[in-house]
C-alpha cells in the first residue's frame, strides 16, 4: 500500500477492483504466472462469480470445446496458452503489470473527471488531434508508442476462455497475462474503462475468427517504464452491443463518446489516488502486497530516483491512440460514427483544479492525445476516410464543431431523412466525383 501525508492509504495489491471504485493493482509477471497456472488447473472457485459480475477464469470450458464441437481456432487458442507456459518455465519474466479501473464520476467535483454532458461536447473549442489512417496492419503492431484499444466486452476478456476468437479474445491469447485481470475485475459500467500496462506478448498468429492460427514464438522487445512495466498500454472499452437504430440517438452517442473518453484519459493526473501514488510511491510497502522489488527490474531506489522523469514524461507525453473499428463487426455498430466518436474522445481535454501542498493549481487533464492511428482493416465503408479527415482538418474544426455535425447527422438518420453513411453525408462531393459511388 501507499501512504499519503494525511494517513490515507492507497492499496495496490491483489484484490477486487469493484465497479465505481477507481483503483489500481500491481502484479509481478511471476505472480501472474502462478495465477494462470491455477486457471489452467481449474482451481478457482466458481459458485458466486456471476453474482459478483465476474467472468469464469478457469480453463475448463476452453478445453471442453475441443471435444464438444472441435474447431481449429479453439485448438490454436490453446496452443498460444501452452506456448506461454513453455516460455515462462524456461525463463520467468521479472517485470510488473498494472491493472487500473478508471471511472468518470457521475457527480461533478473539482478533483475527478466527471461524466460529460452533451453541452460539454457541443461547446468544446479544443482542436482536433492528428488523424492517421492505417489501411493495413494491426493495432498491436503499431510502430510508435500508443494506447492500444481492446474492443472489449463489458466483462473483460469476452469469450477468451470460451469460443470467442475476435479482436479481444485474440489479444488475450497472444498476451495471456491479460487473462489474470478476469480474476478480479468485475464488469464495466457505462462510465468505466480498464487500463492494463506492462503485459508481454508471447505468440505470433495469423487469421481471424475461424481462421485464427498460432504461428510461433514472438519476442517482445518493448522497453520498460520507471515502474518496471513493459511499455504496452492496453485500454479495454466496451461499446454498445447490437445497438441498431438507437445508436443514432443523442443519449447513446453520449454514452459511446464518454466510454472512449474514459478509456483515453491520461493515467496519472486524472485520479486522485494516482496523484498520491506518484508523489508517495513506497516500494517497500508495495512489496508485501503487490510486487517483489528484489526481483522486479526496478529497485526501490531506482523507482524513487526516476519518479521526476516519469512524471515529466506523463505531462509531456507523445503517446497517441491506436484503434480501429471499435464496436463494429460482431457488436453491430456503425463504423463511420464510431470512427468520429473515437477521434473526438482522443482530442478532448478538461480543466481540473487540484489542491497540492495546500495551494490550488490548475491543470489541463483529459485525453488530448497527440494523434489517433486508425486501422480500417480494409472496411469498404472507410475507403474515403483519409480524404474526409483531411477536409475536416483543413476546416480547422473544433471538437464541438465535429460533435455537432455528428449529432445533426444522427438526427437525420434516426428520422429517416438520410440513409447514407456519415462520411458521404458530410462530404458528398468526394463520392459524387466517382471515388466511391453508393
Amino acid at each position: 500500500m501507499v501512504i499519503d501525508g494525511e494517513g490515507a492509504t492507497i492499496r495496490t495489491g491483489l484484490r477486487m477492483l469493484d465497479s465505481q471504485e477507481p483503483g489500481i493493482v500491481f502484479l509481478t509477471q511471476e505472480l501472474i504466472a502462478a495465477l494462470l497456472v491455477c486457471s489452467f488447473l481449474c482451481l478457482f472457485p466458481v459458485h458466486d462469480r456471476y453474482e459478483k459480475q465476474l467472468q469464469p477464469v478457469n480453463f475448463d470450458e476452453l478445453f471442453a470445446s475441443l471435444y464438444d464441437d472441435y474447431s481449429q481456432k479453439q485448438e490454436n487458442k490453446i496452443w498460444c496458452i501452452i506456448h506461454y507456459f513453455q516460455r515462462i518455465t524456461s525463463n520467468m519474466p521479472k517485470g510488473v503489470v498494472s491493472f487500473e479501473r478508471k471511472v468518470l464520476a457521475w457527480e461533478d467535483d473539482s478533483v475527478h473527471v466527471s461524466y460529460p454532458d452533451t453541452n460539454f461536447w457541443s461547446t468544446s473549442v479544443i482542436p482536433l488531434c492528428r488523424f492517421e489512417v492505417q489501411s493495413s496492419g494491426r493495432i498491436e503492431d503499431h510502430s510508435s508508442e500508443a494506447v492500444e484499444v481492446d474492443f472489449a466486452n463489458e466483462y473483460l476478456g469476452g469469450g477468451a476462455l470460451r469460443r470467442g476468437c475476435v479482436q479481444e479474445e485474440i489479444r488475450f491469447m497472444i498476451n495471456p497475462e491479460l487473462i489474470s485481470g478476469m480474476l478480479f475485475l468485475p464488469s464495466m459500467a457505462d462510465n468505466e474503462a480498464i487500463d492494463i500496462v506492462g503485459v508481454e506478448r508471447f505468440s505470433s498468429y495469423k487469421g481471424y475468427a475461424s481462421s485464427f492460427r498460432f504461428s510461433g514464438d514472438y519476442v517482445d522487445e518493448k522497453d520498460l517504464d520507471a515502474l518496471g512495466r513493459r511499455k504496452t498500454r492496453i485500454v479495454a472499452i466496451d461499446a454498445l452491443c447490437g445497438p441498431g437504430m438507437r445508436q443514432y440517438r443523442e443519449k447513446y452517442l453520449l454514452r459511446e463518446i464518454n466510454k472512449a473518453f474514459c478509456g483515453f484519459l491520461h493515467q496519472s493526473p486524472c485520479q486522485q489516488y494516482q496523484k498520491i501514488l506518484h508523489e508517495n510511491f513506497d516500494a517497500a510497502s508495495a512489496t508485501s502486497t503487490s510486487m517483489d522489488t528484489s526481483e522486479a527490474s526496478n529497485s526501490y531506489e531506482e523507482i524513487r530516483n526516476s519518479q521526476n522523469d516519469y512524471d515529466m514524461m506523463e505531462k509531456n507525453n507523445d503517446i497517441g491512440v491506436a484503434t480501429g473499428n471499435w464496436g463494429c463487426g460482431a457488436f453491430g455498430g456503425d463504423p463511420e460514427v464510431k470512427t468520429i466518436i473515437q477521434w473526438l474522445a482522443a482530442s478532448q481535454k478538461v480543466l481540473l483544479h487540484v489542491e497540492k501542498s495546500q495551494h490550488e493549481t490548475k491543470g489541463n487533464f483529459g485525453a488530448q492525445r497527440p494523434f489517433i492511428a486508425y486501422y480500417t482493416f480494409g472496411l469498404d465503408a472507410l475507403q474515403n476516410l483519409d480524404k474526409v479527415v483531411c477536409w475536416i482538418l483543413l476546416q480547422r474544426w473544433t471538437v464541438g464543431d465535429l460533435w455537432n455535425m455528428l449529432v445533426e447527422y444522427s438526427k437525420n438518420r434516426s428520422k429517416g431523412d438520410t440513409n447514407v453513411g456519415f462520411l458521404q453525408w458530410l462530404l458528398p462531393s468526394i463520392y459524387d466525383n466517382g471515388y466511391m459511388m453508393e
Side-chain angles (χ1 to χ4, degrees):
M1 61 183 64
V2 180
I3 313 297
D4 74 4
E6 299 178 354
T9 62
I10 306 300
R11 295 182 298 164
T12 61
L14 180 59
R15 69 194 189 283
M16 294 290 292
L17 287 180
D18 288 323
S19 183
Q20 304 305 315
E21 295 182 9
I24 192 165
V25 163
F26 288 88
L27 304 176
T28 63
Q29 288 182 275
E30 187 169 4
L31 176 55
I32 290 173
L35 295 173
L36 293 183
V37 167
C38 292
S39 292
F40 186 87
L41 298 176
C42 304
L43 299 180
F44 289 112
V46 299
H47 67 279
D48 61 348
R49 291 189 65 81
Y50 285 112
E51 289 81 355
K52 294 180 178 178
Q53 302 298 300
L54 288 162
Q55 283 261 59
V57 73
N58 290 328
F59 288 7
D60 51 334
E61 289 190 56
L62 184 60
F63 296 146
S65 66
L66 290 180
Y67 298 93
D68 296 339
D69 184 17
Y70 172 81
S71 68
Q72 282 189 287
K73 69 178 174 84
Q74 292 298 101
E75 178 183 336
N76 280 268
K77 286 169 65 177
I78 293 174
W79 276 117
C80 289
I81 300 296
I82 292 173
H83 179 68
Y84 162 75
F85 285 122
Q86 289 174 331
R87 280 276 304 273
I88 65 169
T89 52
S90 62
N91 184 18
M92 180 63 70
K94 303 299 184 183
V96 174
V97 180
S98 66
F99 298 81
E100 179 186 0
R101 183 181 291 273
K102 298 195 295 187
V103 182
L104 295 177
W106 290 120
E107 300 296 330
D108 192 16
D109 63 43
S110 62
V111 176
H112 302 93
V113 179
S114 59
Y115 192 86
D117 58 16
T118 53
N119 183 66
F120 171 90
W121 292 105
S122 65
T123 60
S124 172
V125 295
I126 304 301
L128 295 165
C129 69
R130 189 171 83 251
F131 195 109
E132 303 172 0
V133 178
Q134 306 286 343
S135 57
S136 62
R138 297 167 174 160
I139 293 169
E140 62 268 23
D141 296 325
H142 189 72
S143 57
S144 61
E145 199 169 349
V147 174
E148 301 168 9
V149 178
D150 167 16
F151 305 165
N153 189 287
E154 64 178 309
Y155 290 88
L156 183 69
L161 299 183
R162 298 190 299 277
R163 293 189 172 277
C165 198
V166 288
Q167 197 258 10
E168 180 174 39
E169 290 86 357
I170 290 173
R171 194 66 198 262
F172 274 57
M173 294 300 104
I174 64 174
N175 296 78
E177 291 163 335
L178 291 167
I179 296 171
S180 63
M182 297 166 63
L183 179 64
F184 54 88
L185 285 159
S187 63
M188 289 178 278
D190 288 346
N191 63 330
E192 297 181 323
I194 293 171
D195 268 332
I196 304 168
V197 182
V199 291
E200 183 173 350
R201 180 174 170 184
F202 291 87
S203 295
S204 298
Y205 75 98
K206 58 185 179 181
Y208 191 79
S210 62
S211 65
F212 172 78
R213 300 293 183 268
F214 167 74
S215 61
D217 187 39
Y218 182 91
V219 178
D220 194 331
E221 298 180 342
K222 288 191 177 179
D223 295 333
L224 303 182
D225 70 12
L227 301 181
R229 302 175 301 179
R230 198 169 298 275
K231 291 184 179 179
T232 296
R233 296 169 170 86
I234 297 173
V235 60
I237 50 175
D238 58 302
L240 293 168
C241 187
M245 291 302 293
R246 69 188 171 106
Q247 69 184 301
Y248 302 110
R249 299 179 201 163
E250 194 165 346
K251 169 184 176 182
Y252 294 105
L253 291 175
L254 185 64
R255 189 269 183 198
E256 297 294 80
I257 195 170
N258 285 342
K259 173 65 72 167
F261 181 59
C262 183
F264 300 163
L265 286 174
H266 288 303
Q267 295 172 328
S268 57
C270 296
Q271 301 291 354
Q272 188 177 27
Y273 67 86
Q274 282 212 327
K275 179 171 73 72
I276 297 169
L277 178 64
H278 277 266
E279 293 172 352
N280 304 282
F281 192 89
D282 187 344
S285 296
T287 303
S288 64
T289 57
S290 62
M291 63 177 77
D292 181 353
T293 53
S294 66
E295 294 191 357
S297 60
N298 288 51
S299 70
Y300 165 66
E301 288 300 328
E302 288 173 328
I303 292 173
R304 276 290 207 182
N305 293 336
S306 61
Q307 282 307 292
N308 290 337
D309 292 339
Y310 185 78
D311 290 338
M312 188 60 66
M313 179 193 71
E314 286 293 294
K315 292 175 183 176
N316 301 291
N317 77 80
D318 57 356
I319 301 171
V321 174
T323 187
N325 305 323
W326 170 62
C328 306
F331 273 53
D334 183 328
E336 298 176 54
V337 170
K338 287 293 197 294
T339 300
I340 301 303
I341 282 174
Q342 293 183 86
W343 190 10
L344 294 169
S347 301
Q348 184 58 38
K349 69 179 178 183
V350 294
L351 181 66
L352 288 182
H353 293 73
V354 178
E355 292 185 4
K356 186 175 181 180
S357 301
Q358 299 181 342
H359 296 286
E360 186 180 78
T361 60
K362 293 182 179 180
N364 288 324
F365 302 128
Q368 201 183 24
R369 297 289 177 176
F371 68 86
I372 182 169
Y374 194 97
Y375 289 81
T376 64
F377 301 105
L379 198 64
D380 287 343
L382 301 179
Q383 284 184 14
N384 282 324
L385 178 59
D386 56 342
K387 300 180 181 66
V388 176
V389 164
C390 288
W391 182 85
I392 291 172
L393 291 173
L394 285 173
Q395 311 312 305
R396 298 187 180 278
W397 281 0
T398 64
V399 167
D401 293 331
L402 186 54
W403 167 259
N404 291 330
M405 294 301 290
L406 183 63
V407 170
E408 182 181 345
Y409 163 78
S410 297
K411 288 178 179 176
N412 290 335
R413 187 69 184 264
S414 292
K415 293 187 293 185
D417 293 341
T418 183
N419 60 2
V420 301
F422 176 76
L423 302 182
Q424 183 174 354
W425 176 86
L426 181 67
L427 198 60
S429 60
I430 285 183
Y431 294 80
D432 293 342
N433 289 335
Y435 287 103
M436 181 179 171
M437 300 298 295
E438 187 181 27

